[in-house]
Amino acid sequence: MGPVMAHSQSPYPYHRQTVKPSCTHATTESLSNDEPVFTFGVELECIMIFHEKLIQDHVQKMQPSSHLAKEINDEEEVSLRHSLRPKTPYNSWAVHDASTSMLRPYQDEPLRIMKNLVDQSITPTPEIIVHSGDTKQSTHHTWSLSQDYSLTGIPHKELPPYIKKIKPSTTDNFLSWDSSGVELISPPYPSTTLASTFEADLVSLLNSIQYSPSAALTNTPLCGFHVHVGLSNGAPFPLGVIQHLAYLTLVYEDAISTLHHPYRRSWGYVAEQNPYQQHLEADLKSNRDEILTFGCESETFKREDGTTMRCNYKPLSWIRRQIFDVEDSTAIGGLSAEEKILRLVGQDRGRFVAFAPLAREEVRGRARTVEFRQHRGTTDPVEVRHWVRFCVGLVGLAWRYYRVGGECGVKSWRDGIDLEDLWEEMRLGEGERKYWREKREEYGGLVPGWKPVPLWEEDDFEDEVEDEVEF
C-alpha cells in the first residue's frame, strides 16, 4: 500500500499519518531464542453508514434500469433475509432489480462503495479484494472487504444517534442514510510490524472512510474483532504449543472475560439485559463447555463452618491429563492428539478462542492459526493494537513453555487465578497492563453484579457424600 494521501485537516478520528504504509512484509526471523516472530491477521466486523446518493449512483452505474426501494413492508423484509440467517432481520434498503422485476437485498454494493472511497483517498491505489457470496474467502494475501451475513444493518429509526456521533456536522435529513454490515480483513503481518507498518496501513484505510462526508464505519453489539495468530510458513503450531495454549485458555477464561464488554461474555449476561444474546450464544461460546461437571465427579472441600463446596468444573489435574498425557490414536483409526485437545476446548469455530483453524487442510495461502474472537467490534487502531499484542503475547507464552520449559502455575481451582500473574509470565509491559486494568474497571461498572459460572457452589448433595473427594 502506498503513502497516505494528504488531507486538508487533522484526520478524524485517527492521527497516525507519519508512517508510509506498505504491504510488503519482512521475512520472519526470531525475536529471541525463546520464540519466533509470529504472524497475525485481523478481521474487523463493522457497520458502514452511507448517504443514499452513494448507493443510488452505484446502482445506476451498474444497473441503469434498477433503483432503490426504501419502503419495505414486513412480508418483503422476511423475504430479503439471507437463507443462512432466517432469524436475522434485514434492516437495510433493497434494490428493485430490473432484470427480475423483484426486490433483492444488497449484494456487493456496500463493499464496492467502500472500495471506491479507499481508491479515491489513497495514492497509489492499494490492492483490495472485494469478496461477496456465501463461501468464505480461502486465502488472504492482501487486504479484503467481505460480506458477513451475521451483521445486520442498523434499523433506520436507530440511525440518527450513530450519525450524530460519527458525523456531528451533518445537517442532512437522517432519512437519507442507510447502513449495511461489512468486514475488513487484513493479510498476515509479522508481529514486529504491529505498531508501524500494520497500524499505518490500517489507519490509512479507516481514514479513507471516516474522512468521507457521505460514509462512516461504526459498530453495534453484533460486531466483533478477531485476531488470528500463526507461523509465517502457514504450518500449524507444534503439539506442545497447542497443549499449553489450551490449558492457559481454560484456566484464565473468566479472568480474561473481565477485560471485555459484557456483550462479549457468554455467561451471566441474561437475555433480558442483552437483546443480542441468541446471536452471541451461537457465535461466541465458552471454551469450558466440555469441562463442566453438572454436579458429577466434582472436586469438593469442606469450609470451616462444615459446609461442603463443590466445583462446577472438572479438576485441573484431570484436565492436565487430558491435555498433556494425550496420545495419538490415528494408527488405529482414532483421533490425533491435536483433535482430542480440540474436542476438549471446543472444536467448532464459534468460541472465545477458536482452535478449529489449526485443523484446516493445508492449502497454499491459507494459514493454520488460532483465532481470538472475544473482543468487541472496533474501528479504533489503539484498541486493535492492544488486543493483537495481548493475543500474540499469550501465544508467545505457550511457545516459551513448550520450547524453553515451565508451565502455568495454577494447578487447582482453589489456587488464586490472577491476571497480574499471567501478565508477568507473558512479559507484558506496564503500559499494556495499565491499559487492560482500565478496561477491566470500565467494563466492570457496566453490569453491576455480573459474574460467570461460579467455580465453587455449596454442595446440594453433601448429605450423600461420606468423604471429601480428592483428585
Side-chain angles (χ1 to χ4, degrees):
M1 189 179 297
V4 181
M5 187 177 75
H7 293 283
S8 60
Q9 55 181 326
S10 176
Y12 173 80
Y14 316 121
H15 304 280
R16 286 185 62 91
Q17 283 197 281
T18 57
V19 180
K20 292 185 178 181
S22 170
C23 283
T24 304
H25 307 315
T27 303
T28 299
E29 302 173 348
S30 176
L31 278 174
S32 66
N33 294 328
D34 295 352
E35 61 187 85
V37 174
F38 298 106
T39 57
F40 70 90
V42 303
E43 300 173 6
L44 300 179
E45 297 177 348
C46 308
I47 305 297
M48 185 169 72
I49 299 174
F50 47 88
H51 193 271
E52 65 178 325
K53 188 176 188 310
L54 287 178
I55 188 72
Q56 281 178 337
D57 289 351
H58 182 80
V59 170
Q60 287 295 305
K61 178 180 179 182
M62 305 307 296
Q63 296 178 292
S65 299
S66 299
H67 62 270
L68 281 184
K70 298 173 65 174
E71 300 294 331
I72 300 171
N73 62 40
D74 292 344
E75 183 178 349
E76 291 169 333
E77 183 275 320
V78 172
S79 71
L80 292 168
R81 297 179 184 184
H82 195 275
S83 59
L84 298 177
R85 297 272 179 172
K87 294 184 179 180
T88 301
Y90 183 80
N91 295 327
S92 305
W93 295 330
V95 176
H96 188 276
D97 195 322
S99 63
T100 62
S101 298
M102 296 178 63
L103 286 182
R104 65 164 176 83
Y106 288 148
Q107 295 174 344
D108 67 349
E109 289 90 355
L111 304 179
R112 295 293 175 184
I113 289 172
M114 188 169 172
K115 185 179 186 305
N116 289 341
L117 292 173
V118 171
D119 291 347
Q120 295 166 13
S121 300
I122 302 177
T123 304
T125 302
E127 179 185 4
I128 297 180
I129 294 173
V130 171
H131 177 80
S132 60
D134 295 343
T135 58
K136 279 284 186 181
Q137 195 171 333
S138 59
T139 60
H140 298 281
H141 66 277
T142 187
W143 285 88
S144 61
L145 300 171
S146 180
Q147 288 177 306
D148 186 331
Y149 296 109
S150 68
L151 300 176
T152 183
I154 301 169
H156 288 92
K157 64 181 180 181
E158 299 175 17
L159 264 177
Y162 285 92
I163 299 173
K164 289 177 182 177
K165 181 178 180 180
I166 302 170
K167 302 291 184 185
S169 60
T170 297
T171 58
D172 198 5
N173 187 338
F174 293 132
L175 298 177
S176 302
W177 293 76
D178 197 16
S179 66
S180 183
V182 297
E183 189 172 13
L184 177 61
I185 305 172
S186 82
Y189 282 78
S191 57
T192 51
T193 69
L194 172 60
S196 55
T197 307
F198 166 76
E199 190 167 330
D201 287 354
L202 176 62
V203 167
S204 66
L205 290 171
L206 293 176
N207 277 346
S208 66
I209 311 301
Q210 308 299 55
Y211 254 117
S212 169
S214 304
L217 294 174
T218 189
N219 302 104
T220 67
L222 289 177
C223 299
F225 156 40
H226 307 159
V227 176
H228 288 261
V229 181
L231 298 174
S232 61
N233 60 3
F237 292 120
L239 174 60
V241 176
I242 298 173
Q243 288 171 320
H244 285 289
L245 185 59
Y247 189 71
L248 289 166
T249 297
L250 293 175
V251 168
Y252 283 99
E253 179 177 291
D254 287 346
I256 292 175
S257 288
T258 64
L259 306 178
H260 296 288
H261 193 285
Y263 276 142
R264 308 298 291 180
R265 307 171 190 173
S266 63
W267 296 106
Y269 206 49
V270 298
E272 289 77 11
Q273 296 171 299
N274 184 357
Y276 306 94
Q277 187 76 8
Q278 184 178 8
H279 168 86
L280 296 178
E281 284 178 349
D283 291 349
L284 194 66
K285 299 189 287 288
S286 167
N287 290 93
R288 288 180 174 178
D289 287 350
E290 300 303 318
I291 64 171
L292 284 165
T293 63
F294 301 105
C296 303
E297 300 180 359
S298 298
E299 181 179 1
T300 62
F301 75 95
K302 286 188 179 294
R303 295 189 298 191
E304 292 182 358
D305 63 4
T307 57
T308 300
M309 301 299 291
R310 179 179 294 275
C311 188
N312 280 312
Y313 295 106
K314 293 178 181 179
L316 286 181
S317 56
W318 178 88
I319 294 170
R320 285 198 304 278
R321 289 196 298 272
Q322 302 306 306
I323 292 176
F324 294 104
D325 297 342
V326 66
E327 296 182 354
D328 192 305
S329 304
T330 53
I332 57 174
L335 299 174
S336 68
E338 289 86 352
E339 289 172 321
K340 292 178 181 179
I341 295 174
L342 261 60
R343 288 196 171 193
L344 183 69
V345 296
Q347 59 184 344
D348 59 308
R349 190 169 175 179
R351 303 282 169 172
F352 290 156
V353 182
F355 288 78
L358 291 172
R360 290 170 173 163
E361 293 184 5
E362 186 172 357
V363 178
R364 180 176 176 81
R366 191 179 191 191
R368 284 170 282 182
T369 62
V370 60
E371 180 185 15
F372 296 84
R373 299 170 54 84
Q374 197 170 6
H375 201 287
R376 69 174 182 174
T378 184
T379 56
D380 183 347
V382 175
E383 289 190 342
V384 171
R385 184 198 330 135
H386 282 292
W387 182 231
V388 170
R389 190 163 285 155
F390 187 100
C391 297
V392 172
L394 193 63
V395 174
L397 174 59
W399 186 281
R400 289 196 300 276
Y401 283 160
Y402 154 72
R403 181 70 72 176
V404 181
E407 60 181 356
C408 176
V410 180
K411 299 298 194 297
S412 167
W413 293 119
R414 295 179 67 180
D415 294 344
I417 299 177
D418 191 338
L419 274 175
E420 297 288 342
D421 296 334
L422 177 64
W423 293 339
E424 185 69 25
E425 288 287 285
M426 288 169 60
R427 303 174 181 173
L428 214 59
E430 183 55 35
E432 294 294 313
R433 301 186 199 193
K434 181 176 183 292
Y435 171 86
W436 289 113
R437 291 184 195 117
E438 291 173 352
K439 281 293 181 185
R440 181 170 54 186
E441 183 177 356
E442 173 189 344
Y443 294 143
L446 293 180
V447 186
W450 179 91
K451 55 185 178 182
V453 170
L455 283 177
W456 299 93
E457 289 186 308
E458 191 168 330
D459 187 6
D460 294 333
F461 307 100
E462 60 180 294
D463 292 338
E464 302 174 20
V465 181
E466 296 182 1
D467 300 304
E468 182 176 338
V469 180
E470 297 288 349
F471 292 88

